[in-house]
Structure formats: C-alpha cells, structure tokens
Amino acid sequence: MLTKPQFGWSDFSLEGTSVYGLSYLTDIAFEWIDAAISGLKNLSPFCVRGNLEPNRFLCAVSFWNCHIIIEDDAGFPLEKEDIVHEYSHTSMLEFCRQLYDDISSCTDEWASFADYQNENTEENKQALTGKLEELKELIIEKEKFFGESYWLL
C-alpha cells in the first residue's frame, strides 16, 4: 500500500487503483495510524489525507471499501472534471493491516518522514512503535467483526 519513504516521498496504491506519490508535507505514519486506531476503536469509517504537490489526496476508509479522491488544492469552486475518484474493495481491517505492515517494516524512515531537521527521530521512533503496537492489538481484537457473519452499521 505504502512504499518505503525516500527523499520525502512515498507511493500509495490499493488493489485496482492508481499509484499516488505522497509528500512529507503530511506526517503520514502518525496521522494515518491515529485515524486507523480511532476507526477501529469505534468501528467507524475514517479518512486519511496526503499532499501530492500539487493537489490533495483523500482516502475514505469504509467498512468494506476505500474511496480515493484527488482534488485541486486551490480555493476556487471545483467542476466535476476537476475531481478524480477511484475505489478499491479493501476493507477497513485490510487497510489497517497493510498500514501496520508497511510502516512497521521501516519505522526509522517513517519516524523521520516529516521531521525535516531530524531533530526528534529517536523520540518519534518510540512514539511510532507505541502507536503501531496499539494498532496491532486493535486489528486482532476487531478481526471478528469483519467475518461473513457480521454486519456493520
């Protein structure tokens, strides 16, 4: 889903969608994990965001699908042709699993992704490790709600 950060960029893609280059202007690891934790805790859809420089990236993570929206980041009214919308049959649980896997596989890089001066890398890594552990526990705890016998409201 997310590639290893390199030079302030990470590529994002879900099954059946395009590849989007997301910049360091959004602290993806921390913001996305916080959103995923909140979504799983409450069993509620959530949204993550990113910056494409130019344009704005939004991914609405619902129970059974993810919706990607790309829009211009200017402040003028949008026309229908100005908006890109893609979707993937990726459940909330699967999104959270992929997020956990991708970020935990290279915590050093994600801990310093938006730390432009590399001033707090060790503190960031410890905080990120704690958030990843919480996300992992929630994935295990909430797995039962994403089986065939459950219906989420």
Side-chain angles (χ1 to χ4, degrees), residues 7-10 20-26 28 50-57 70-73 113 116:
F7 307 116
W9 292 89
S10 175
Y20 298 98
L22 302 175
S23 85
Y24 68 93
L25 294 177
T26 303
I28 291 170
N51 197 306
L52 301 170
E53 293 189 56
N55 295 328
R56 191 173 305 136
F57 169 93
I70 308 300
E71 63 181 8
D72 192 294
D73 54 7
F113 185 65
Y116 320 123

Side-chain angles (χ1 to χ4, degrees), residues 84-99:
V84 174
H85 175 241
E86 292 189 305
Y87 60 91
S88 174
H89 183 58
T90 301
S91 72
M92 180 187 299
L93 189 69
E94 184 57 31
F95 181 94
C96 291
R97 280 184 184 137
Q98 289 183 37
L99 182 64

